[in-house]
Amino acid sequence: MSLLTELVQRVGQDQSARLQARLATPARTTRVTVVIGRVLGAAFLLCFATGLYSHFLQNPLPGMRFPTRPVNLYAITQGVHVITGVACIPLLLAKLWTVYPQLFAFPPFKGLAQLAERLSIAVLVSASLVQLAMGLLNTYQWYPWSPFFAFRDVHYALAWVIIGSVGLHVAVKLPLIVRHWRRGGDGEVR
């Protein structure tokens, strides 16, 4: 059985190395990933803040008070929310493009910590894709999911999942982020 295991590992590693070499480009560096990630993170935070403002305007907690001036404040915050949300779509796709070859790493994880990290990233990416797609469809006022669930409830819940996942992702990747935050990082690929 160990001979078969060794053969599978060797073939998997060879195939993974060949595929990653084919996908390698000078633009797929940790530095590029960090730069796109910090812009995407800022956009997610801005969307989250403006979304919370909208949510609590519509469902205020007891004792909450909101400014009544300027009268178009809600329109401004919703404009920022929609524009930033739409801007998140190409940013998320660009970030996924920079890390795409890592999907083909073999073995897929080396230990429980890396498995937990990859699962948390899967939650972050899937929740983000669903959130952005739902938000974009909402701008067209098209709700194909309306027989199954309410847009506002799911959009609000997914926002919390995404912000929590972003926080976890930043905490796990903090050493890489710090190393590549400014110019002059070594440009290594994750």
Side-chain angles (χ1 to χ4, degrees):
M1 190 69 171
S2 66
L3 182 62
L4 180 61
T5 305
E6 285 180 34
L7 180 63
V8 168
Q9 282 183 335
R10 197 170 339 130
V11 168
Q13 288 170 342
D14 291 346
Q15 291 294 331
S16 173
R18 268 191 250 134
L19 184 57
Q20 287 181 341
R22 273 192 242 145
L23 293 172
T25 69
R28 283 188 169 129
T29 65
T30 306
R31 168 78 179 142
V32 171
T33 303
V34 168
V35 169
I36 293 171
R38 68 184 181 203
V39 174
L40 180 60
F44 273 153
L45 283 174
L46 189 56
C47 270
F48 184 69
T50 55
L52 276 182
Y53 180 75
S54 172
H55 176 79
F56 286 123
L57 272 176
Q58 296 173 37
N59 305 324
L61 295 175
M64 278 189 152
R65 301 285 182 259
F66 294 95
T68 57
R69 298 277 185 251
V71 292
N72 60 348
L73 181 61
Y74 181 74
I76 292 168
T77 61
Q78 283 307 284
V80 169
H81 184 79
V82 170
I83 290 168
T84 309
V86 171
C88 283
I89 295 170
L91 287 170
L92 180 61
L93 294 175
K95 173 120 178 173
L96 291 174
W97 178 83
T98 65
V99 297
Y100 178 69
Q102 296 303 308
L103 290 174
F104 304 106
F106 192 86
F109 56 90
K110 299 171 187 159
L112 290 177
Q114 193 176 25
L115 173 62
E117 176 190 351
R118 290 196 118 189
L119 288 175
S120 71
I121 291 171
V123 168
L124 172 60
V125 170
S126 58
S128 298
L129 289 171
V130 169
Q131 181 82 323
L132 294 174
M134 283 180 65
L136 186 64
L137 291 176
N138 181 51
T139 63
Y140 294 106
Q141 297 181 354
W142 182 44
Y143 306 101
W145 53 78
S146 61
F148 308 107
F149 56 84
F151 167 76
R152 281 183 42 215
D153 297 337
V154 173
H155 202 65
Y156 179 71
L158 278 176
W160 283 101
V161 170
I162 290 167
I163 287 301
S165 297
V166 165
L168 180 61
H169 184 61
V170 168
V172 168
K173 296 292 188 178
L174 194 57
L176 278 175
I177 293 169
V178 168
R179 192 172 334 136
H180 296 279
W181 186 263
R182 297 188 186 275
R183 272 187 219 274
D186 60 6
E188 79 188 45
V189 177
R190 293 135 315 279

